[in-house]
Amino acid sequence: MELTVRPRRLRTSEAIRKMVRETRVDKSSLIYPAFFMDGTDKVEPIPSLPGQYRYTVDRMGELLDQLCEAGVSNVLFFGIPEEKDEVGSQAYAEDGIVQRALRYTKEHYPELYRISDVCMCEYTSHGHCGVLCGHEVDNDRTLELLAATALSHVEAGAQMVAPSDMMDGRIRAIRECLDGKGHIETPIMSYAVKFASAFYGPFREAAGSAPSFGDRRGYQMDFHNRREAMKEALLDVEEGADILMVKPAMSYLDLVREIKDATDLPMATYSVSGEYAMVKAAALNGWIDEERIVCEMAAAVYRAGADLYITYYAKELAKYMQEGKIG
Ligand code: PBG
């Protein structure tokens, strides 16, 4: 056999496979999404996300200890308020749940990097991501409240804000508001390309944020669209985003690659609740090898061009990285 090119030569041992590996991973790229709730002395399992919990602020140290131990240093804060109203006032209340969780973390775990999710759906009585005008979300009025929310997070200790509402112009509105108050150094990670996705189902149960009527297709993107994804990404670059996110991850990695190639911003992608729940459910049934699937999915994300990876599996992935099971 006159074969000169034999790709298998580079696969003959673990040593050489590792040497020529094209995708390297590092746990500093991992971001863990965490749920904090009003109340005291509670750690509640989230039924739709086995292995994930909601914490009251007085017990959140238990989670933060685990993160520190695992070597996961970036946390994305979500809040679950006791009180909701039409205009989501708890989203921008000085003593709101995210604000208190941020203050606690800043004081007791300064080594953790604090990123806050900025949206209204967990705080509005109707569950939509902004204020309503009739049955529609009023874009421009919502911008003011999102900016106020971002500002109150930063004042409470957020080091980065991540708007996930999909209103037009929110990056600019938040940037102007933060700059106006002197927070010129706080980066914005934009959920730039966020699809109206069934993959968010378990999150909405976790956060009690399902819309009480209609759906989010009037503001989140139609999942058939690729050029529109580029339009959203480029708009956010123009408005001053520092990091771009594509969400969900797994079904949208084509867009991670495309936007990565078209812009020079760091790219993030969010492996959302439905992705976690599917893997977990299959693993609990013994149908898949959880560890190998989680590593393979993560490698795919980085191979597609993601610099940052938001995942409920962050703690486990940090361990797999440490053990050389990935990257
Ligand atoms: C808030 C928000 C959602 C998620 C992140 N931020 C829910 C939604 O848009 O309905 C989803 C996260 C997940 O599914 O893990 N708007």
Side-chain angles (χ1 to χ4, degrees):
M1 181 68 73
E2 293 272 315
L3 275 179
T4 47
V5 180
R6 289 182 180 271
R8 287 184 55 188
R9 281 185 204 117
L10 298 181
R11 298 179 201 138
T12 51
S13 70
E14 184 63 1
I16 195 163
R17 286 192 294 269
K18 276 198 166 150
M19 227 189 302
V20 299
R21 189 163 274 170
E22 297 174 46
T23 305
R24 307 280 181 180
V25 301
D26 192 293
K27 54 189 176 181
S28 62
S29 64
L30 294 169
I31 301 173
Y32 181 75
F35 300 100
F36 303 110
M37 62 181 175
D38 275 330
T40 49
D41 196 24
K42 274 202 201 108
V43 178
E44 263 175 26
I46 302 171
S48 56
L49 297 171
Q52 304 298 316
Y53 301 82
R54 311 177 184 102
Y55 298 82
T56 53
V57 172
D58 55 345
R59 303 266 312 258
M60 68 183 283
E62 295 168 33
L63 170 66
L64 302 185
D65 283 337
Q66 290 169 24
L67 292 173
C68 292
E69 199 158 313
V72 175
S73 49
N74 312 306
V75 187
L76 179 59
F77 287 69
F78 288 97
I80 305 159
E82 220 146 53
E83 302 291 333
K84 305 186 187 223
D85 61 29
E86 283 280 301
V87 292
S89 357
Q90 283 301 306
Y92 38 92
E94 205 200 322
D95 62 346
I97 174 62
V98 163
Q99 288 81 352
R100 282 185 287 118
L102 284 166
R103 271 188 223 109
Y104 178 89
T105 308
K106 183 176 177 181
E107 187 178 349
H108 299 284
Y109 294 83
E111 66 274 37
L112 294 175
Y113 189 85
R114 305 172 297 273
I115 310 171
S116 72
D117 182 272
V118 174
C119 194
M120 309 209 53
C121 62
E122 298 108 277
Y123 304 91
T124 51
S125 43
H126 44 75
H128 279 284
C129 300
V131 277
L132 296 180
C133 178
H135 269 55
E136 294 299 327
V137 173
D138 184 332
N139 192 87
D140 298 13
R141 262 190 72 212
T142 299
L143 293 184
E144 292 165 29
L145 301 183
L146 290 168
T149 303
L151 177 63
S152 84
H153 289 176
V154 172
E155 285 175 346
Q159 291 161 294
M160 181 188 289
V161 290
S164 67
D165 52 282
M166 287 303 277
M167 296 302 119
D168 293 335
R170 86 258 215 229
I171 302 303
R172 199 177 76 192
I174 291 172
R175 186 73 274 157
E176 279 175 4
C177 173
L178 293 181
D179 288 356
K181 297 284 183 187
H183 301 295
I184 54 171
E185 287 183 347
T186 307
I188 302 177
M189 173 162 68
S190 173
Y191 286 69
V193 177
K194 176 172 176 181
F195 289 91
S197 170
F199 283 104
Y200 308 147
F203 172 96
R204 292 183 188 166
E205 190 182 311
S209 64
S212 60
F213 65 89
D215 54 42
R216 301 209 203 292
R217 284 181 292 183
Y219 36 102
Q220 298 180 348
M221 283 184 56
D222 179 344
F223 54 67
H224 302 83
N225 296 350
R226 188 176 135 228
R227 272 180 309 166
E228 190 189 13
M230 190 56 70
K231 172 172 145 187
E232 284 282 7
L234 295 179
L235 254 177
D236 284 359
V237 174
E238 222 176 276
E239 290 183 29
D242 299 281
I243 299 173
L244 298 174
M245 191 200 302
V246 170
K247 177 187 170 193
M250 191 168 56
S251 304
Y252 301 89
L253 295 183
D254 54 331
L255 301 174
V256 171
R257 169 51 59 194
E258 209 162 337
I259 296 167
K260 170 89 171 189
D261 289 344
T263 69
D264 51 13
L265 267 56
M267 287 294 301
T269 190
Y270 190 155
S271 188
V272 299
S273 55
E275 299 178 55
Y276 174 88
M278 290 195 306
V279 174
K280 206 48 156 185
L284 289 171
N285 274 292
W287 295 334
I288 56 165
D289 180 331
E290 183 178 29
E291 184 176 300
R292 289 180 54 207
I293 292 266
V294 169
C295 289
E296 196 172 328
M297 283 169 70
V301 154
Y302 293 110
R303 196 181 61 232
D307 303 290
L308 303 174
Y309 186 28
I310 306 165
T311 170
Y312 300 97
Y313 275 117
K315 282 180 274 172
E316 290 80 356
L317 266 169
K319 178 168 155 268
Y320 304 153
M321 288 177 184
Q322 191 77 35
E323 296 167 350
K325 293 190 168 124
I326 171 176

